[in-house]
Amino acid sequence: IDLIYNALEAIGEVNPSEDSKLDLLFNEIIRKNVDKKVLIFSEYQDTVDYVTNSLRSRFKLSNIESVNSETFDIQKVVPRVETFYRAL
């Protein structure tokens, strides 16, 4: 447990305004496709929430939808993504 605690202390808190991976995602994919919609997906809800919310707030993006393995009920996701697809 001490090893895990020490590793977490060394990593520190994640700050979306200083996240180089978000910068890379934005600069290499989203900025080049600014008129396109973005679908964020991951197995992990925390990852999807972090990426989606950070992109929305930091870069003022509204063309983002997200899906993860926990919420991937095809009956719920398809209508949501279809609505998102048609909206922009």
Side-chain angles (χ1 to χ4, degrees):
I1 292 184
D2 287 340
L3 181 62
I4 294 171
Y5 178 77
N6 291 339
L8 290 173
E9 283 244 327
I11 293 169
E13 188 174 322
V14 176
N15 184 347
S17 66
E18 299 173 359
D19 188 330
S20 62
K21 291 179 182 177
L22 280 177
D23 289 338
L24 183 65
L25 175 64
F26 180 76
N27 291 324
E28 295 300 319
I29 298 173
I30 297 173
R31 180 177 281 161
K32 293 177 182 178
N33 298 284
V34 72
D35 58 332
K36 308 276 190 218
K37 297 171 190 169
V38 179
L39 180 62
I40 304 294
F41 58 93
S42 173
E43 181 175 350
Y44 303 103
Q45 178 68 44
D46 290 344
T47 301
V48 167
D49 289 346
Y50 172 78
V51 172
T52 302
N53 294 334
S54 297
L55 288 171
R56 282 180 179 155
S57 63
R58 182 170 171 200
F59 299 109
K60 309 299 183 224
L61 299 174
S62 61
N63 58 335
I64 299 175
E65 183 59 68
S66 60
V67 176
N68 69 68
S69 63
E70 292 178 20
T71 61
F72 197 78
D73 176 347
I74 197 72
Q75 300 301 319
K76 293 178 182 176
V77 171
V78 168
R80 195 175 89 212
V81 172
E82 283 179 342
T83 301
F84 172 68
Y85 176 75
R86 291 186 183 117
L88 295 175

